[in-house]
Amino acid sequence: MNIVQTPATPLSPELIARFRAIVGDKYAVTAPADVAPYVTEERGLFHGHSPLVLRPGSTAEVSAICKLATEEKIALVPQGGNTGLVGGQTPHHGEVVVSTRRLDKIRDIDPASNTMTCESGVVLQVAQQKAADVDRYFPLSLGAEGSCTIGGNLSTNAGGTGALAFGVAREMALGLEVVLADGRILNALSKLKKDNTGYDLRNLFIGAEGTLGIITAATLRLFPKPRAIETAFVGLKSPADALKLLSISQNEAAGSLTSFELLADIAVDFSVRHGIDIRAPLTSPHPWFVLMELSSSDDDARTTLESILAQGMEQGIVDDAVIAANLSQRQAFWKLRDEMSAAQKPEGGSIKHDISVPVAAVPAFIAEANAAVVKLIPGARPVPFGHLGDGNIHYNVSQPIGGSATDFLARWHDVNAVVFEIVLRMGGSISAEHGIGVLKRDELPEVKDKVAIELMRSIKALLDPLGIMNPGKVL
């Protein structure tokens, strides 16, 4: 997908040399082959271009980059692990890329305060492991955790499979360090859970997708490490039955229910057929599946999970289920889930939605959206899956078998219109956890409160008056 917009200001050799001097020759990338990984994303949906990729190694270097960019009116695109799904990290019209991957230090781990302060380029999986090393738990978890970064997670307010119990990225950050467009450094790092000294500036930058400043560090909340984790893969007849099972689970497990994923049979089938070393967990087919997990500080998780499944079977909700017997089987369950997006690629074109509706409305949403999409494009194959526990469904649609991927993807906005109309009518959101970027930028003013849009534009104008911070994204 190519975005048409006014090109960025061209960079002269002299200006490139000034930027290069800030980070050093080794960390100023200009060769097209070396720039290439930074200007396209894994799916190949968005393609950009850039004359220069800067890889600063400190907050001071990020500050110097922003000062020079403001002085010369040069547009910047902050980028973490380049795993975003809405084009927010792509330099669509020749901006300078500021990669934060070298900002990868763990500055502090404080088990007593249950906090960890790390730089924005720390890979999520590394943060998880560093927390585990001190017998703590950092619960943000998503499919790209081996390559996405903390800064990117916060900039997009990532959700993931643990949001049911722990919330999204916003709830996991106590404080931030941010470089503003003019190079000033906002030091709002804090270990405090209680601090009422004025406006909560932290939340301006979380979810802002780099349009207000560049996050360079964050203080994150840690939690006691679970002593027992029990995982089950469940077969059932419908999303309505899954909703009933969710209610039983929440009543029985309360806060120890940490994940509750709803998976359509087609999504499971794609993962099994196209994934590597992935098997169907249950021996017989089912129209729908649930992947659920309990995490507890005691040894009662297994007993609780067995009780939940037994009640589900007694009430005719659960048709079949298997509880992971060991860590390897648990990882196999989650691998099947994590591969669902990638497994759609061999099936041809895929139009993806990251929506949320009230939890109780999920079954009705799926039924209505499936009917509407197939009516719009006969033969289209809805592939819904996602976080039933918080109402966030990845409502993806694969092209008709044997059809043209190009023709199908040309209907992207038509399918969006059908799906979004249902979402909004049900009181939902067109972006649950992936952000706005450019993919949903033009729809945002139509679905967001007009006063909210006015305030967002005012904040943008105040913090980035020249419009150099990730221009054309979100607004």
Side-chain angles (χ1 to χ4, degrees):
M1 184 174 291
N2 294 310
I3 308 301
V4 178
Q5 191 162 320
T6 304
T9 303
L11 292 184
S12 66
E14 292 77 16
L15 190 50
I16 290 177
R18 292 175 68 188
F19 277 117
R20 186 187 297 275
I22 293 172
V23 298
D25 290 344
K26 183 178 179 181
Y27 302 113
V29 182
T30 56
D34 296 329
V35 169
Y38 297 89
V39 299
T40 188
E41 40 90 68
E42 184 178 347
R43 298 170 303 165
L45 184 62
F46 298 103
H47 302 275
H49 61 98
S50 175
L52 177 64
V53 176
L54 298 171
R55 303 181 62 225
S58 68
T59 301
E61 289 182 0
V62 176
S63 174
I65 290 168
C66 290
K67 285 180 182 177
L68 180 55
T70 292
E71 178 185 331
E72 298 294 336
K73 299 182 175 60
I74 300 299
L76 305 176
V77 173
Q79 187 181 104
N82 195 16
T83 61
L85 298 173
V86 293
Q89 79 280 17
T90 304
H92 295 290
H93 28 278
E95 305 95 333
V96 171
V97 174
V98 180
S99 170
T100 61
R101 295 182 197 177
R102 289 183 60 228
L103 301 175
D104 59 358
K105 299 178 183 63
I106 304 291
R107 295 185 182 177
D108 176 70
I109 300 182
D110 184 351
S113 297
N114 281 313
T115 63
M116 171 170 61
T117 301
C118 63
E119 295 181 342
S120 60
V122 172
V123 171
L124 174 55
Q125 197 168 69
V126 172
Q128 294 168 345
Q129 185 57 54
K130 292 297 184 181
D133 289 345
V134 294
D135 201 34
R136 292 295 183 267
Y137 179 53
F138 183 59
L140 185 63
S141 180
L142 45 146
E145 61 191 30
S147 52
C148 65
T149 63
I150 293 298
N153 298 150
L154 292 171
S155 291
T156 58
N157 192 26
T161 57
L164 171 62
F166 299 100
V168 294
R170 188 183 304 279
E171 280 74 53
M172 298 181 201
L174 291 171
L176 297 181
E177 177 185 85
V178 183
V179 176
L180 303 181
D182 60 8
R184 286 180 295 165
I185 300 171
L186 171 66
N187 186 353
L189 291 172
S190 172
K191 296 181 181 182
L192 303 177
K193 293 182 180 179
K194 294 182 176 180
D195 182 358
N196 282 332
T197 53
Y199 301 142
D200 186 356
L201 299 177
R202 167 199 57 164
N203 274 322
L204 279 177
F205 301 96
I206 298 176
E209 301 183 47
T211 61
L212 302 179
I214 300 177
I215 296 174
T216 51
T219 300
L220 307 173
R221 296 179 63 196
L222 303 181
F223 297 83
K225 190 175 180 180
R227 300 304 175 196
I229 299 176
E230 297 291 345
T231 312
F233 205 90
V234 183
L236 25 70
K237 295 182 181 67
S238 68
D241 282 342
L243 193 61
K244 293 174 185 176
L245 182 62
L246 173 63
S247 179
I248 294 172
S249 302
Q250 290 176 321
N251 288 338
E252 291 292 317
S256 64
L257 179 66
T258 48
S259 296
F260 200 94
E261 301 288 293
L262 176 67
L263 318 171
D265 60 346
I266 188 173
V268 172
D269 178 60
F270 285 177
S271 282
V272 171
R273 286 198 285 117
H274 301 304
I276 299 174
D277 296 327
I278 294 178
R279 298 180 181 179
L282 301 177
T283 56
S284 58
H286 300 273
W288 291 88
F289 299 90
V290 161
L291 173 57
M292 59 183 296
E293 190 161 271
L294 274 61
S295 304
S296 176
S297 59
D298 53 41
D299 296 325
D300 292 337
R302 180 80 176 204
T303 301
T304 303
L305 182 54
E306 289 174 345
S307 174
I308 291 168
L309 296 176
Q311 289 183 56
M313 288 181 175
E314 289 170 4
Q315 296 180 29
I317 297 168
V318 172
D319 293 333
D320 194 8
V322 58
I323 298 176
N326 48 48
L327 177 60
S328 177
Q329 192 172 22
R330 172 179 176 253
Q331 290 173 336
F333 290 175
W334 280 108
K335 183 179 181 183
L336 183 152
R337 163 64 181 88
D338 291 340
E339 291 292 321
M340 284 185 171
S341 291
Q344 283 187 261
K345 196 168 186 178
E347 295 291 328
S350 175
I351 297 175
K352 302 179 185 296
H353 306 87
D354 162 47
I355 65 90
S356 61
V357 294
V359 174
V362 169
F365 163 76
I366 291 175
E368 193 169 337
N370 284 359
V373 165
V374 173
K375 181 179 179 181
L376 178 69
I377 304 179
R381 295 171 291 166
V383 188
F385 61 90
H387 322 303
L388 178 61
D390 53 39
N392 174 199
I393 299 298
H394 300 295
Y395 189 79
N396 299 347
V397 184
S398 284
Q399 70 173 68
I401 295 174
S404 163
T406 301
D407 291 346
F408 178 71
L409 293 175
R411 306 291 303 277
W412 190 292
H413 291 291
D414 296 336
V415 175
N416 280 176
V418 166
V419 173
F420 290 166
E421 187 278 326
I422 300 169
V423 169
L424 296 173
R425 179 158 36 83
M426 292 184 173
S429 168
I430 67 170
S431 180
E433 62 179 3
H434 291 166
I436 297 297
V438 294
L439 185 64
K440 303 176 185 179
R441 178 193 62 199
D442 295 339
E443 284 87 359
L444 186 63
E446 302 301 320
V447 303
K448 194 80 172 173
D449 176 77
K450 286 181 170 50
V451 174
I453 290 290
E454 290 172 3
L455 288 174
M456 289 170 64
R457 293 189 187 282
S458 297
I459 292 168
K460 171 72 171 174
L462 175 66
L463 294 178
D464 181 22
L466 299 179
I468 65 171
M469 300 302 296
N470 215 5
K473 315 297 173 54
V474 184
L475 295 171

